[in-house]
Amino acid sequence: MKAMITGASSGIGEAIATNLHDLGYELIITGRRKERLDDLATRLGGDRVAAHTLDVTDTAAIHALVEEVGAVDILVNNAGGALGLASAQEAELSDWLTMIATNVTGLTVLTHALLPAMVERRSGIIINLGSVAGEYPYPGGNVYGAAKAFVRQFSLNLKADLAGTGVRITDIEPGMVGETEFSLVRFHNDTERASSVYDGMQALTPADIADLVRYIVTLPPHVNINTVSLMPVDQGFGAFNVTRHSS
Ligand code: NDP
Ligand code: 8X3
């Protein structure tokens, strides 16, 4: 049984890869930082793990990899993240386009490339990493939230098309997950700002998400979990924001 995990070079993807390896899967771990993938392969013992450099924004590279590795039993579309927390009117266009290219286009192209073989074999599981940011708006969430809303709706629409094919599809939508590089990347390597995000609260951990994946992939084949929305106990929702006397 073979599982492909994108963005396995850190955080949630690395933890998911570790759990799937524990379950006995042969892994195809991907990301842009090959040395990180090689480290993970070594830590997992080297056997049953193939590390491949893959930038998910590179459609030709996705097609070449799929051609090389063939069908997989599990695809975890985890690669992605946020860039910036500026308001829409102040955000960098390049950040917006990168978020769409990774969280939306990369996930879509890889899914399109691997799905036909799953349907043909009448078996397979796709797990997408969405976010609570795709469910609830927050200031500065603009394109990141919109990209994750795409992941949520695309996953549900896949479920509609895949009914009766034997192929399963789940969107996992976490709130704040610490011990990842998510905030470091969002704040363009500002370590202080990144670590302050999790100050004084207990965030979810990559292991929490990986344990959820373990649960999902070990369910009987007739059970499909459509979406899972989860948050730290310490996280909640904001109130509506009312601007008064603004003119
Ligand atoms: P990390 O920054 O730790 O991990 C992101 C992973 O994505 C890295 O392995 C990175 O690898 C990979 N990645 C980023 N861009 C590309 C690219 N263009 N091509 C290939 N791989 C890429 O963050 P998380 O582990 O937290 O994030 C994993 C997923 O979970 C993301 O989709 C994120 O949006 C989502 N998520 C995270 C939450 C959080 O609070 N941490 C909450 C909700 C969802 P490399 O740099 O080597 O390419
Ligand atoms: C990241 C979760 O709550 O920081 O997707 O937007 S949150």
Side-chain angles (χ1 to χ4, degrees):
M1 297 283 272
K2 219 188 268 186
M4 181 186 290
I5 303 104
T6 65
S9 51
S10 78
I12 296 170
E14 181 179 328
I16 292 173
T18 304
N19 269 10
L20 291 178
H21 188 263
D22 283 354
L23 286 173
Y25 283 90
E26 188 186 325
L27 301 188
I28 299 148
I29 52 173
T30 72
R32 291 166 302 178
R33 290 168 296 176
K34 179 71 161 50
E35 67 290 355
R36 291 284 203 98
L37 299 170
D38 289 339
D39 281 355
L40 177 60
T42 305
R43 268 181 281 134
L44 294 176
D47 64 328
R48 290 190 285 116
V49 186
H52 291 267
T53 306
L54 177 70
D55 183 334
V56 294
T57 67
D58 183 343
T59 297
I62 287 180
H63 288 142
L65 179 64
V66 169
E67 179 76 25
E68 184 182 339
V69 302
V72 301
D73 300 284
I74 296 178
L75 166 63
V76 183
N77 278 313
N78 164 79
L83 286 172
L85 193 61
S87 59
Q89 56 275 29
E90 285 164 359
E92 294 291 339
L93 179 60
S94 57
D95 284 350
W96 279 10
L97 296 178
T98 301
M99 285 189 281
I100 294 168
T102 45
N103 295 288
V104 176
T105 311
L107 173 146
T108 305
V109 172
L110 191 52
T111 302
H112 186 267
L114 286 169
L115 195 52
M118 287 184 174
V119 172
E120 198 175 310
R121 289 153 33 128
R122 296 198 58 78
S123 133
I125 304 178
I126 298 174
I127 296 181
N128 291 332
L129 260 296
S131 167
V132 292
E135 300 174 71
Y136 308 102
Y138 59 79
N142 42 68
V143 166
Y144 178 64
K148 292 306 194 187
F150 173 92
V151 174
R152 175 184 174 82
Q153 199 62 20
F154 181 52
S155 304
L156 291 171
N157 279 331
L158 283 174
K159 176 71 189 94
D161 287 349
L162 293 171
T165 64
V167 179
R168 294 182 277 170
I169 163 81
T170 300
D171 184 31
I172 298 180
E173 302 170 356
M176 299 163 79
V177 184
E179 301 169 27
T180 72
E181 295 177 359
F182 177 85
S183 292
L184 196 62
V185 172
R186 167 168 255 177
F187 298 125
H188 298 285
N189 291 320
D190 180 339
T191 43
E192 211 169 308
R193 191 169 177 202
S195 63
S196 73
V197 171
Y198 311 101
D199 265 359
M201 58 85 65
Q202 187 167 352
L204 299 173
T205 67
D208 294 327
I209 310 303
D211 287 346
L212 188 56
V213 169
R214 181 195 292 268
Y215 172 74
I216 290 165
V217 304
T218 52
L219 285 166
H222 67 283
V223 182
N224 191 92
I225 304 282
N226 298 344
T227 55
V228 184
S229 173
L230 70 162
M231 271 182 173
V233 171
D234 289 343
Q235 188 177 13
F237 309 104
F240 284 118
N241 177 2
V242 180
T243 302
R244 302 179 198 280
H245 310 298
S246 61
S247 53

